[in-house]
Amino acid sequence: MSNKSKTKRFILPEEEIPKQWYNIQAEMPNKPLPPIHPGTKQPLKPEDLYPIFAEELCRQELNQTDPWIDIPEEVREHYKYYRSTPLVRAYALEKALGTPAHIYFKNESVSPMGSHKLNSAIPQAYYCKKEGVTNITTETGAGQWGASLAYAARMFGLESAVYQVKISYEQKPYRKSIMETFGAQVTPSPSMSTKAGKAILTATPNHQGSLGTAISEAVELAQTTPNCKYTLGSVLSHVSLHQTVIGLEAEKQMAMAGEYPDVVIACFGGGSNFGGLAFPFMRHNFTGEKKTRFIAAEPSSCPKLTRGKFMYDFGDEAGYTPLLPMFTLGHNFRPANIHAGGLRYHGAGVIVSQLLKDGLMEAVDIPQLESFEAGTLFAQTEGIIPAPESSHAIAAVIREALECKKTGEEKVILFNLSGHGLIDMGSYDKFLAGDLQNYEVTDKEINDNLSQIK
Amino acid sequence: MSNKSKTKRFILPEEEIPKQWYNIQAEMPNKPLPPIHPGTKQPLKPEDLYPIFAEELCRQELNQTDPWIDIPEEVREHYKYYRSTPLVRAYALEKALGTPAHIYFKNESVSPMGSHKLNSAIPQAYYCKKEGVTNITTETGAGQWGASLAYAARMFGLESAVYQVKISYEQKPYRKSIMETFGAQVTPSPSMSTKAGKAILTATPNHQGSLGTAISEAVELAQTTPNCKYTLGSVLSHVSLHQTVIGLEAEKQMAMAGEYPDVVIACFGGGSNFGGLAFPFMRHNFTGEKKTRFIAAEPSSCPKLTRGKFMYDFGDEAGYTPLLPMFTLGHNFRPANIHAGGLRYHGAGVIVSQLLKDGLMEAVDIPQLESFEAGTLFAQTEGIIPAPESSHAIAAVIREALECKKTGEEKVILFNLSGHGLIDMGSYDKFLAGDLQNYEVTDKEINDNLSQIK
């Protein structure tokens, strides 16, 4: 059969949109270590998180017993606005690479906000609304998460306030406009509107911002505002839980294509798009039924998985969050101003950290220029301009596919196209003009940072 | 049955993507008058157009006999990259309006370039490639068409050059970057690179550009470059022909929803997204089987359908094109700098002009502020930020839906969401800040313009 008559895109009927999320915590060989309350030094209980997050989210966060969690009907109704997202066979990319590998991608970029982030923004806003919350806050890097949270807040009639990492606020002005169109209040971070922001700006004038800083500001705003909760776009286990809708759909769609992935790849910032795609497939590795490889692709300039240390650290710069057992570069690590703003985070979620420690997944680091080369090739073959974040996954896919070309193996590679890059064209402009560069991180820089953690 | 369990999105399986386009010219009660060769004053023959367009496109342009034209298999393969696009029931918009109407939209914004324009860019590039052309040129307003043409050129290995209306080039810089990512050469128009551009800039320094001007430049470049053809994103009959893939899919999808539209609405620049959605449904009106109303929504600042004159006029500012029988404001009409760049064209395609003259369709004009109000309401209910062009259709839908609210009629309204507005956020910024305005066109202005046409 020639390529010509083969199906390119696989889409599920609405009734096949998952009715439950997959909670990998319940089935991991070794459970993640508990988060620690920074005051009491005791393992965190869901109640400890109630002042910050919606209560149901706190319970999901620490749930290590139920492998399946029901998706509320109202959430599923909002998933129907854009799901299922297509699973696509990248025939043209395969051809350009001359690889025998079969490359598939899950196209989360077709969501109305352009990325996978809505998958968790919707349930987070839903649970807040259900519990009587009226205002929600969050941080955002490139703005994919902030835009999604603003959208979800609007859909459930909540007020929203977003702290956007300053460098991204300036690099990607349209994302601010998108958030404002949905009624969100957007502030570049660090700002003078919080104690955390003031302290950081006083210590480091011209601070360009980081996700860690923006988290501190958003948490502080939630804690100092009546009837307000904080929401987070990645890192936490409940966020990855919501994102498993990606992998659960992909599993059914791969079956429609008559294949099963040998390799699953996603870019890595805090872990939610990686976990969202990988975890549902990983459960078949746990049972021994499958032997899929799972690869997280992180930027070389923020290499917590490949060069960070597994230890307890804060999730934010100011130290407002619980202590999390994770691979980290230190919560005060200041990543270079790469254009993949969503990957500029110092740590990894606790589930992924445990899985990596246990050798159940792998990680690779991708230099900025390689990511843009990969993204441009993908655009010119598959027609979709990827988000700079997603281009890290594509670069890792290309490495694997070229390896298959050498060995002649017909591996099935699946990756997550977590978002499109239409709002990131300023970055492509700079790349095409030759104005982008790679950033090196020295061992000394990492060690100095980590040695400051008590 | 409650809304909750109702299907929201209807998507066709790949094998249901149309295999033929619908050529309305063959079945219209009155055929369009022939285009006239400006030199000989004789009706145009396909051969007269061969120097400018791919030959197959010239034959399609003037084909008044075959109601169905086969879609080449290679074109259909490229349609599979993003088609079928979803048909969506806008439950949330209905609820916000409190209307008994059923509102559906065809979501062309999920195409990788964000609009319907790819539907014609792909076949135009395909026919050029097939006939041995190596370079293609075009004009673009907001950049939706230019981006699509650049994409299609890349997919078929052609070089592309795009003249972008200067005001849009400045308002929407990301679109230039998208075109360049696909390898296109982009020039703001009017430019000093053509005779037409030089003449216009000499006569009117600081000319902000118009589609008519950009067309002159692109046609001139094609005529002065070896092995190069010109392509057009709207107005011409073969462009509307390709776009009928929208309406043909929608017809099948409406059947999946168990409904048939009482009213079909689309925004109107040159007519291709309107014709693409409307023509396939219109054929059932021709047979007397259905009585659907068809409404074109144009901007009040460029009102050729509602206030223009039906006459022979040039398609471009410099007078390079054939004389076309159309509703026009005069080829030297200079529309206000509204943010719906794709609707700033002085005339209407010959098919739509004849249909309007014959009372087989209607037109309404929408002020700029009403379009942005409509677009914002749509974003806040249905979650998709519409292109400013598409917002004109939404405004017309809202008028109809509110009329249904008064009369209590459960009309079925279908419209084309021709594109998303993620690259147009600068315009939303200005709207939210209260910096946009309406533009009036006086009768004197229109009459003075038309009186200059010989």
Side-chain angles (χ1 to χ4, degrees):
Chain A
M1 196 161 77
S2 83
N3 271 2
K4 286 196 175 169
S5 53
K6 282 184 187 164
T7 306
K8 182 162 174 67
R9 292 159 85 233
F10 301 88
I11 297 176
L12 298 173
E14 261 182 26
E15 62 271 21
E16 292 284 326
I17 295 172
K19 296 188 171 64
Q20 296 182 309
W21 293 302
Y22 174 60
N23 178 24
I24 194 172
Q25 290 194 82
E27 300 194 327
M28 292 164 68
N30 297 314
K31 314 274 185 205
L33 297 177
I36 298 287
H37 190 291
T40 65
K41 307 289 179 198
Q42 293 299 307
L44 212 67
K45 293 187 296 288
E47 307 84 87
D48 297 327
L49 294 169
Y50 286 176
I52 303 178
F53 298 103
E55 296 182 6
E56 176 59 24
L57 296 171
C58 303
R59 289 188 290 271
Q60 290 177 0
E61 183 64 24
L62 298 173
N63 184 332
Q64 298 194 335
T65 48
D66 305 314
W68 298 98
I69 311 259
D70 286 346
I71 301 176
E73 191 50 38
E74 293 89 329
V75 170
R76 211 166 158 273
E77 283 304 310
H78 277 278
Y79 280 170
K80 284 190 190 174
Y81 278 64
Y82 61 100
R83 309 203 68 86
S84 73
T85 61
L87 176 81
V88 186
R89 174 82 182 263
Y91 290 114
L93 177 63
E94 291 171 15
K95 194 174 162 196
L97 295 171
T99 180
H102 295 192
I103 302 175
Y104 291 85
F105 62 93
K106 182 72 170 156
N107 185 2
E108 291 292 306
S109 81
V110 300
S111 117
M113 292 295 93
S115 84
H116 69 295
K117 293 290 190 187
L118 267 187
N119 301 333
S120 185
I122 290 167
Q124 290 193 49
Y126 163 77
Y127 288 120
C128 285
K129 177 72 177 181
K130 198 179 162 204
E131 296 175 17
V133 169
T134 54
N135 298 45
I136 54 183
T137 73
T138 198
E139 83 299 328
T140 195
Q144 299 267 31
W145 167 248
S148 296
L149 201 271
Y151 167 114
R154 184 80 201 193
M155 293 297 154
F156 289 101
L158 302 167
E159 293 291 327
S160 63
V162 181
Y163 286 94
Q164 182 169 21
V165 175
K166 195 172 168 193
I167 178 74
S168 293
Y169 182 89
E170 287 161 4
Q171 280 172 346
K172 303 170 204 276
Y174 283 11
R175 285 255 167 65
K176 169 189 77 75
S177 314
I178 293 171
M179 293 185 256
E180 289 178 348
T181 300
F182 287 105
Q185 174 194 308
V186 187
T187 309
S189 167
S191 78
M192 295 298 282
S193 71
T194 63
K195 272 167 60 181
K198 285 175 202 170
I200 289 161
L201 282 174
T202 304
T204 316
N206 292 317
H207 193 295
Q208 292 294 288
S210 70
L211 283 168
T213 303
I215 291 172
S216 299
E217 294 207 89
V219 169
E220 184 180 324
L221 182 64
Q223 289 179 322
T224 56
T225 305
N227 212 16
C228 181
K229 299 279 179 171
Y230 167 71
T231 64
L232 189 68
S234 189
V235 184
L236 291 177
S237 301
H238 69 266
V239 185
S240 297
L241 172 74
H242 304 152
Q243 293 294 354
T244 59
V245 68
I246 303 172
L248 292 166
E249 281 184 5
E251 190 184 351
K252 293 185 191 185
Q253 291 165 310
M254 290 297 300
M256 287 168 79
E259 307 224 61
Y260 190 90
D262 298 304
V263 189
V264 170
I265 296 175
C267 65
F268 197 93
S272 80
N273 107 84
F274 173 81
L277 179 66
F279 293 170
F281 289 100
M282 226 178 250
R283 75 187 201 275
H284 303 301
N285 275 27
F286 295 159
T287 61
E289 188 194 343
K290 299 284 183 188
K291 288 189 162 39
T292 300
R293 287 171 57 215
F294 300 93
I295 304 175
E298 67 182 3
S300 299
S301 55
C302 194
K304 62 250 184 185
L305 296 176
T306 51
R307 296 170 62 197
K309 191 174 163 190
F310 184 85
M311 63 190 295
Y312 273 95
D313 192 11
F314 287 109
D316 69 321
E317 181 146 352
Y320 288 167
T321 71
L323 285 160
L324 302 167
M326 62 182 183
F327 278 92
T328 179
L329 297 163
H331 61 272
N332 44 11
F333 179 78
R334 213 169 299 146
N337 292 336
I338 58 166
H339 285 260
L343 307 186
R344 295 174 71 250
Y345 184 69
H346 66 275
V350 300
I351 296 173
V352 163
S353 293
Q354 188 64 46
L355 293 168
L356 184 66
K357 190 159 170 279
D358 291 343
L360 299 171
M361 56 172 282
E362 308 162 39
V364 294
D365 68 304
I366 307 286
Q368 174 157 274
L369 292 176
E370 184 180 344
S371 75
F372 274 91
E373 282 155 15
T376 304
L377 177 64
F378 184 78
Q380 295 182 347
T381 51
E382 293 297 322
I384 304 167
I385 297 179
E389 291 82 0
S390 312
S391 294
H392 288 72
I394 297 168
V397 167
I398 291 173
R399 288 186 187 178
E400 287 292 319
L402 292 178
E403 193 58 33
C404 289
K405 190 177 180 177
K406 277 192 208 151
T407 62
E409 284 174 290
E410 253 190 46
K411 280 189 190 164
V412 177
I413 303 172
L414 167 65
F415 77 96
N416 199 21
L417 185 73
S418 53
H420 65 62
L422 295 180
I423 315 288
D424 306 282
M425 293 314 301
S427 311
Y428 278 89
D429 258 1
K430 290 208 175 67
F431 171 67
L432 294 173
D435 289 343
L436 290 192
Q437 58 175 104
N438 290 329
Y439 294 93
E440 299 289 330
V441 185
T442 63
D443 289 337
K444 182 172 181 314
E445 209 176 319
I446 295 173
N447 292 334
D448 286 354
N449 238 308
L450 289 172
S451 67
Q452 290 171 37
I453 302 175
K454 283 144 214 154
Chain B
M1 197 162 74
S2 80
N3 272 0
K4 286 197 176 168
S5 54
K6 282 183 185 165
T7 305
K8 182 161 175 69
R9 294 159 85 233
F10 301 88
I11 296 175
L12 299 172
E14 259 181 30
E15 61 270 23
E16 291 286 324
I17 296 172
K19 297 189 170 64
Q20 296 182 309
W21 293 302
Y22 175 59
N23 177 24
I24 194 172
Q25 290 195 84
E27 300 193 326
M28 293 165 68
N30 296 313
K31 315 276 184 201
L33 299 175
I36 298 287
H37 190 290
T40 64
K41 307 286 180 202
Q42 293 299 308
L44 212 67
K45 294 187 296 286
E47 307 84 271
D48 297 327
L49 294 169
Y50 287 178
I52 303 178
F53 298 103
E55 296 183 5
E56 177 57 25
L57 296 170
C58 303
R59 289 187 290 270
Q60 290 177 359
E61 184 63 26
L62 298 172
N63 183 333
Q64 299 194 336
T65 49
D66 305 314
W68 297 99
I69 310 259
D70 286 344
I71 301 176
E73 192 48 40
E74 292 89 330
V75 169
R76 213 168 155 270
E77 282 304 310
H78 278 278
Y79 279 170
K80 284 191 191 173
Y81 277 64
Y82 62 101
R83 308 204 69 85
S84 72
T85 61
L87 175 81
V88 186
R89 173 81 182 266
Y91 289 113
L93 177 63
E94 290 171 16
K95 193 175 163 197
L97 295 171
T99 179
H102 296 192
I103 303 175
Y104 291 85
F105 61 93
K106 182 71 169 157
N107 186 1
E108 291 292 306
S109 81
V110 300
S111 117
M113 292 296 92
S115 85
H116 70 295
K117 293 290 189 187
L118 266 188
N119 302 332
S120 185
I122 291 167
Q124 290 193 48
Y126 163 77
Y127 289 120
C128 284
K129 177 71 178 184
K130 198 179 160 203
E131 296 175 16
V133 170
T134 54
N135 297 45
I136 55 183
T137 74
T138 198
E139 84 299 327
T140 195
Q144 299 268 31
W145 167 248
S148 295
L149 201 272
Y151 167 115
R154 184 79 200 196
M155 293 296 154
F156 290 102
L158 302 167
E159 293 291 328
S160 63
V162 181
Y163 285 94
Q164 182 170 20
V165 175
K166 194 172 166 192
I167 179 74
S168 293
Y169 181 90
E170 286 161 5
Q171 281 173 344
K172 303 170 205 277
Y174 283 13
R175 286 255 167 64
K176 168 189 78 75
S177 315
I178 293 171
M179 293 185 256
E180 288 178 348
T181 300
F182 287 106
Q185 173 193 310
V186 187
T187 309
S189 166
S191 78
M192 297 297 282
S193 71
T194 62
K195 272 167 61 180
K198 284 176 202 169
I200 290 161
L201 282 174
T202 304
T204 316
N206 291 317
H207 193 296
Q208 292 294 290
S210 70
L211 283 168
T213 304
I215 291 172
S216 298
E217 293 206 89
V219 169
E220 185 181 322
L221 182 64
Q223 289 179 322
T224 55
T225 305
N227 212 17
C228 180
K229 298 281 179 170
Y230 168 69
T231 64
L232 189 67
S234 190
V235 184
L236 292 177
S237 302
H238 69 266
V239 184
S240 297
L241 172 74
H242 305 152
Q243 294 293 353
T244 58
V245 69
I246 302 172
L248 293 166
E249 283 184 1
E251 190 183 352
K252 293 185 192 185
Q253 290 165 311
M254 290 296 300
M256 288 168 77
E259 306 224 62
Y260 190 90
D262 298 304
V263 188
V264 171
I265 295 176
C267 66
F268 197 94
S272 80
N273 106 83
F274 173 81
L277 180 66
F279 294 170
F281 289 99
M282 225 179 250
R283 74 187 202 276
H284 303 299
N285 274 27
F286 295 160
T287 61
E289 188 195 341
K290 299 285 183 188
K291 287 188 162 40
T292 300
R293 286 170 59 214
F294 299 93
I295 304 175
E298 65 181 4
S300 298
S301 55
C302 194
K304 62 252 185 181
L305 296 176
T306 50
R307 296 169 65 196
K309 191 174 164 189
F310 184 85
M311 63 189 297
Y312 273 95
D313 191 9
F314 287 110
D316 68 322
E317 181 146 353
Y320 288 166
T321 70
L323 285 160
L324 302 168
M326 63 183 183
F327 278 92
T328 178
L329 297 162
H331 61 272
N332 43 12
F333 179 78
R334 212 169 301 146
N337 292 335
I338 58 165
H339 285 261
L343 307 185
R344 295 174 72 250
Y345 184 69
H346 67 277
V350 301
I351 296 174
V352 163
S353 293
Q354 187 65 44
L355 293 168
L356 184 67
K357 190 160 171 281
D358 290 343
L360 299 171
M361 57 172 280
E362 307 161 39
V364 294
D365 68 306
I366 307 285
Q368 174 157 273
L369 292 177
E370 184 180 345
S371 74
F372 273 90
E373 282 155 14
T376 304
L377 177 64
F378 185 77
Q380 293 181 349
T381 50
E382 292 297 323
I384 304 167
I385 299 180
E389 291 82 359
S390 312
S391 294
H392 288 73
I394 297 168
V397 167
I398 291 173
R399 289 185 187 179
E400 287 291 320
L402 292 178
E403 193 57 34
C404 289
K405 190 177 178 176
K406 278 192 206 153
T407 62
E409 285 175 290
E410 254 191 45
K411 280 189 189 165
V412 177
I413 303 172
L414 167 65
F415 77 95
N416 199 21
L417 184 72
S418 54
H420 66 63
L422 296 179
I423 314 289
D424 305 284
M425 293 314 301
S427 311
Y428 278 88
D429 258 1
K430 289 207 175 68
F431 170 67
L432 293 172
D435 290 343
L436 290 191
Q437 60 175 103
N438 290 328
Y439 294 93
E440 299 289 329
V441 185
T442 63
D443 289 338
K444 183 173 181 310
E445 209 176 321
I446 295 173
N447 291 334
D448 286 356
N449 238 309
L450 289 172
S451 67
Q452 290 171 36
I453 302 174
K454 282 144 211 151

